[in-house]
Amino acid sequence: MRLMQFARPAAAGALLVAGTAGALPVQDGVGTFRALEELELGAWELRELNGGAVRRICLRDAVVLLRPRLSGAQCTQRVIENTGRTATVQYSCAGRGTGRTTVLVETPRLARIDAQGIEAGAPFLLAMEARRIGPCN
C-alpha cells in the first residue's frame, strides 16, 4: 500500500517531465540557446549558399539568426532543438508568415543557417553561411 502512495506521484511527475521534454514554447527574447551563446558578437556577413544575396549585419543578439526572413515581426516560437551546437525553432508571425530555422554553430565565428517557411503567402527556402568579419562600425 505504501509503495502505491509514492508510485502515483512519481508516475505523474514522470509524465509531466516527458510531456515537456520535446518542444518548449518561448516568446521572442525569452530563453537561452546554448549554441548561440558560443557565437561572437560583431559584424557578420550572411551569404546565401545558392549564390544569392549577401548582406552584412551588426550582430548584437545572436537570436536574430533564428529568423533570417521575418526579423522584427511579432512572433511566437517553439524550441525544437537546443544543444551545444544546434538551435532549431519553429515560429509563427501573425499576418506575416511561419517558418522553421536551424542554426548549426561550426565555430564562434562561423555558422550555417537553414530556414524554410512561408512569408507573405509565398514559400521560402534558405541555406546560408554566417561568418563574423570583424567588429561593428
Side-chain angles (χ1 to χ4, degrees):
M1 181 69 165
R2 231 180 136 97
L3 181 58
M4 289 298 285
Q5 290 174 337
F6 293 108
R8 283 189 187 151
L15 287 174
L16 180 61
V17 170
T20 61
L24 301 173
V26 296
Q27 296 295 320
D28 281 345
V30 177
T32 302
F33 295 93
R34 290 176 286 208
L36 300 182
E37 289 178 343
E38 300 301 316
L39 295 175
E40 294 180 17
L41 302 181
W44 283 70
E45 185 175 84
L46 306 178
R47 179 179 304 274
E48 291 186 33
L49 296 178
N50 66 357
V54 176
R55 76 184 160 124
R56 292 186 175 180
I57 63 170
C58 179
L59 189 66
R60 292 186 174 93
D61 183 355
V63 172
V64 301
L65 297 176
L66 290 170
R67 285 203 330 256
R69 289 292 292 262
L70 293 165
S71 62
Q74 287 292 332
C75 305
T76 31
Q77 62 188 27
R78 183 171 297 275
V79 178
I80 306 299
E81 184 175 6
N82 184 7
T83 67
R85 290 193 59 213
T86 306
T88 301
V89 295
Q90 187 172 334
Y91 50 88
S92 177
C93 309
R96 300 261 329 259
T98 62
R100 178 182 176 120
T101 302
T102 297
V103 176
L104 173 63
V105 176
E106 300 285 347
T107 72
R109 295 172 167 242
L110 179 66
R112 179 178 169 91
I113 303 169
D114 291 303
Q116 62 182 355
I118 298 175
E119 179 183 22
F124 68 86
L125 180 63
L126 287 174
M128 304 173 86
E129 177 184 86
R131 183 177 300 273
R132 187 177 189 277
I133 56 174
C136 293
N137 291 334

